[in-house]
Amino acid sequence: MTASLHDFCARRGDLTAPCRLCGAREFNICQALDPAQQDKLFALATRLQLGKRDRLFAAGEPASHVYNLTEGTVALSRSLADGRRQILGFLLPGDFLGLEVGEAHRCDAETLTEAKVCRFERAAFDGFLKDNPEVALRLLKIASSDLAQAARHEVLLGRKTATERIASFLLDLRDRSGARHLRTQPLALPMTRSEIADYTGLTIETVSRVLGRLKSGKVIELIGASAVRVLDDARLERMSGSS
Amino acid sequence: MTASLHDFCARRGDLTAPCRLCGAREFNICQALDPAQQDKLFALATRLQLGKRDRLFAAGEPASHVYNLTEGTVALSRSLADGRRQILGFLLPGDFLGLEVGEAHRCDAETLTEAKVCRFERAAFDGFLKDNPEVALRLLKIASSDLAQAARHEVLLGRKTATERIASFLLDLRDRSGARHLRTQPLALPMTRSEIADYTGLTIETVSRVLGRLKSGKVIELIGASAVRVLDDARLERMSGSS
DNA sequence: CGGTGGATTGAGGTAGATCAACATGCGTGG
DNA sequence: CCACGCATGTTGATCTACCTCAATCCACCG
């Protein structure tokens, strides 16, 4: 089941994305770079294969690298001293990690699945940025959309009910997974209930109960514990509270 | 009382800040710009005086301007259809508004006090950025620190108790107000209880009760409703939960 | 000096947390 | 390929932190 689901997703082509820095020259960051600079950037990249639950970096560590996720899922989180954890977001193929300007990482980054990343030395990357300041404009756009995502997440955490949080989470994940046009197809949930809980600011029990209620209300269908099919799109959207 | 508090703060010199784009050439954004470009930027600026509760822009409106706050306090917020509001942050002199790259504003911006801003036409500002791409690097730094602030706020909203939220809020406001060295001096609270509630994800009643408890525990002193004096710094920090 | 909007305080209700038991499914080794 | 064992997920019962509703209180302003 899981295997065939994975196959399906891979076929669908949204479980992987070319690196937006070195591998996707026609897109995003590298747009309008001259070929010599593109080659220079390409030479800076190291491709890494990561396992499940691998830690890319932890909060406080020196930010020595910049990454672009090309395959798999990564969670960014921050924890309090007593262990309470808040997941800030789930990264999907194409997303950047560790872009923060500054000395140290501000959060933990951990893979949820096996994953592939394109890694760049910080110093070399900064040097490249200095030579190609127009690239900074594209990074600024990325930071800006991260900021917009964070704002939506703050609303979710501060003002939404449990049901609205779960509905918003599912819709956001679906939209970002690029499966919008495939309404009847299952959406993979690479994260555990505990991770959904830490993203939504709830407990695992509440996450489980809300998903159960959505299921018995015929809004979604649960396919095992790690995939969902959205049955009633409009209702899920109405339940998400997002105006 | 309020007047003398205001006088004190003004004397202290942190209720105003020169515009980081056009008025503070030695700092921040403009560092390393050549004089001709600096003059060009300066020419783009319009200074505005705003009243209390003035709306600078609303979510969804075309982002036609970029602003730098030089005096007063501004709140950024997003609201749900039914009126529930989440305040994303309080801006102090020196902070930027409306930097988001994209067509439309993603949140509402409203002054809490009388305020002064330096305003730039979006198109002209973008043109300036294109001519001075190194400035984008400085904007990237600002976006990055905004992102770090958002992450801390997500932890507050998702995982902290009411007391921890209020303690964190007070400490953050104090640190950003630049009054760290003035431990015994009152901290101005230009926002109402309702705005503190919408920032912390609580209700006004809970905000009031928590402040009352901090007061009777001799951790803070309330000076009217719009100023606090932190009496026991270490304890407040311990209560904030931020490791 | 009275009115008005914000703030405080109290009583009671509830969404979601906590605690606990049980189910399920997945990976491992036989 | 199946059986076992553990991690993950579900479900139920109860508890509680915070919300809601309601009644003052208070500070500021004309």
Side-chain angles (χ1 to χ4, degrees), chain A residues 176-238:
Chain A
R176 293 202 304 135
S177 296
R180 185 129 217 193
H181 52 296
L182 293 166
R183 288 289 155 88
T184 59
Q185 294 303 345
L187 174 69
L189 298 180
M191 60 294 287
T192 64
R193 295 294 182 268
S194 166
E195 285 149 353
I196 299 176
D198 284 347
Y199 177 77
T200 54
L202 301 168
T203 59
I204 45 176
E205 293 93 332
T206 300
V207 170
S208 183
R209 275 186 256 267
V210 171
L211 285 173
R213 249 179 281 138
L214 290 177
K215 177 185 176 169
S216 56
K218 308 279 183 210
V219 181
I220 62 171
E221 177 186 352
L222 286 173
I223 303 160
S226 312
V228 219
R229 181 176 285 133
V230 177
L231 299 177
D232 190 336
D233 222 75
R235 195 132 65 96
L236 192 59
E237 232 140 66
R238 257 178 284 123

Side-chain angles (χ1 to χ4, degrees), chain A residues 12-24:
Chain A
R12 203 180 49 187
D14 58 19
L15 258 193
T16 69
C19 174
R20 289 165 74 187
L21 284 168
C22 71

Side-chain angles (χ1 to χ4, degrees), chain B:
Chain B
M1 179 84 253
T2 302
S4 74
L5 179 66
H6 182 283
D7 288 349
F8 163 74
C9 292
R11 245 182 293 121
R12 202 180 50 186
D14 58 20
L15 257 192
T16 69
C19 173
R20 289 164 76 188
L21 283 168
C22 71
R25 302 188 174 187
E26 70 277 28
F27 300 125
N28 306 310
I29 301 300
C30 298
Q31 211 173 40
L33 280 187
D34 71 68
Q37 289 298 332
Q38 284 185 20
D39 289 342
K40 194 171 157 194
L41 186 55
F42 189 82
L44 294 178
T46 310
R47 276 142 199 295
L48 294 178
Q49 168 77 49
L50 301 165
K52 231 179 184 180
R53 312 283 151 191
D54 274 358
R55 171 144 304 206
L56 276 111
F57 51 77
E61 285 178 10
S64 57
H65 294 89
V66 170
Y67 308 82
N68 187 256
L69 183 62
T70 58
E71 198 173 325
T73 310
V74 168
L76 297 183
S77 65
R78 280 173 71 100
S79 293
L80 299 177
D82 61 5
R84 279 174 290 172
R85 178 176 66 157
Q86 178 63 49
I87 289 186
L88 305 169
F90 299 112
L91 302 187
L92 302 178
D95 290 337
F96 286 92
L97 304 86
L99 267 186
E100 47 260 54
V101 185
E103 316 271 288
H105 286 297
R106 289 194 249 277
C107 59
D108 305 330
E110 185 180 303
T111 60
L112 301 183
T113 60
E114 297 197 339
K116 286 183 184 160
V117 296
C118 230
R119 194 181 72 177
F120 301 82
E121 282 285 345
R122 179 106 221 160
F125 185 74
D126 285 350
F128 180 83
L129 261 192
K130 219 158 267 165
D131 295 341
N132 300 272
E134 70 278 16
V135 172
L137 276 177
R138 316 207 128 247
L139 294 181
L140 197 53
K141 256 182 207 163
I142 290 166
S144 169
S145 88
D146 286 355
L147 218 38
Q149 175 73 15
R152 265 176 273 127
H153 197 207
E154 286 169 63
V155 175
L156 180 151
L157 293 170
R159 288 302 182 214
K160 287 192 179 179
T161 65
T163 303
E164 290 170 337
R165 294 180 198 206
I166 296 298
S168 304
F169 159 71
L170 289 174
L171 288 169
D172 177 58
L173 188 66
R174 193 197 51 173
D175 291 352
R176 293 202 305 135
S177 297
R180 185 130 218 193
H181 53 296
L182 294 165
R183 286 291 154 86
T184 59
Q185 295 302 345
L187 175 68
L189 297 179
M191 60 293 286
T192 65
R193 295 293 183 268
S194 166
E195 285 150 353
I196 299 176
D198 284 347
Y199 177 76
T200 53
L202 302 168
T203 58
I204 44 177
E205 294 93 334
T206 299
V207 170
S208 183
R209 276 186 255 269
V210 171
L211 285 173
R213 248 179 281 135
L214 290 177
K215 177 185 176 170
S216 56
K218 307 280 183 207
V219 181
I220 62 171
E221 177 186 352
L222 286 173
I223 302 160
S226 313
V228 218
R229 182 175 285 132
V230 178
L231 299 176
D232 191 336
D233 221 76
R235 196 133 63 94
L236 193 59
E237 232 141 65
R238 258 179 282 123
M239 293 175 96
S240 77
S242 304
S243 46

Side-chain angles (χ1 to χ4, degrees), chain A residues 3-242:
Chain A
S4 75
L5 179 66
H6 183 284
D7 288 350
F8 162 75
C9 292
R11 245 182 292 121
R12 203 180 49 187
D14 58 19
L15 258 193
T16 69
C19 174
R20 289 165 74 187
L21 284 168
C22 71
R25 301 187 176 190
E26 70 276 28
F27 300 124
N28 306 312
I29 300 301
C30 297
Q31 211 172 39
L33 280 188
D34 70 68
Q37 289 299 333
Q38 283 186 20
D39 289 342
K40 194 170 155 193
L41 187 54
F42 189 82
L44 293 178
T46 311
R47 278 144 197 295
L48 294 179
Q49 168 76 49
L50 302 166
K52 232 179 183 179
R53 311 283 150 192
D54 273 359
R55 171 144 304 208
L56 275 110
F57 51 77
E61 284 178 11
S64 56
H65 294 90
V66 170
Y67 308 82
N68 187 255
L69 183 62
T70 57
E71 199 174 325
T73 310
V74 168
L76 297 183
S77 65
R78 279 173 71 100
S79 293
L80 299 176
D82 61 5
R84 280 173 291 173
R85 177 176 67 158
Q86 178 63 48
I87 290 186
L88 305 168
F90 298 112
L91 302 186
L92 301 178
D95 290 338
F96 285 92
L97 305 85
L99 267 186
E100 48 261 53
V101 185
E103 315 271 288
H105 287 295
R106 288 195 251 277
C107 59
D108 305 330
E110 186 180 302
T111 59
L112 301 184
T113 60
E114 298 197 340
K116 286 182 184 161
V117 297
C118 231
R119 195 182 71 178
F120 300 82
E121 282 286 343
R122 180 105 220 161
F125 184 75
D126 285 350
F128 179 82
L129 261 191
K130 218 156 270 168
D131 294 342
N132 301 271
E134 71 277 16
V135 172
L137 276 178
R138 316 207 127 249
L139 293 181
L140 196 54
K141 257 184 205 159
I142 290 166
S144 169
S145 89
D146 286 355
L147 218 38
Q149 174 74 14
R152 265 176 274 127
H153 197 207
E154 286 169 64
V155 176
L156 180 151
L157 293 170
R159 287 304 184 213
K160 289 193 178 180
T161 65
T163 303
E164 290 170 338
R165 293 180 198 206
I166 296 297
S168 303
F169 159 71
L170 289 174
L171 288 169
D172 177 58
L173 188 66
R174 193 196 51 172
D175 291 352
R176 293 202 304 135
S177 296
R180 185 129 217 193
H181 52 296
L182 293 166
R183 288 289 155 88
T184 59
Q185 294 303 345
L187 174 69
L189 298 180
M191 60 294 287
T192 64
R193 295 294 182 268
S194 166
E195 285 149 353
I196 299 176
D198 284 347
Y199 177 77
T200 54
L202 301 168
T203 59
I204 45 176
E205 293 93 332
T206 300
V207 170
S208 183
R209 275 186 256 267
V210 171
L211 285 173
R213 249 179 281 138
L214 290 177
K215 177 185 176 169
S216 56
K218 308 279 183 210
V219 181
I220 62 171
E221 177 186 352
L222 286 173
I223 303 160
S226 312
V228 219
R229 181 176 285 133
V230 177
L231 299 177
D232 190 336
D233 222 75
R235 195 132 65 96
L236 192 59
E237 232 140 66
R238 257 178 284 123
M239 293 175 95
S240 77
S242 303

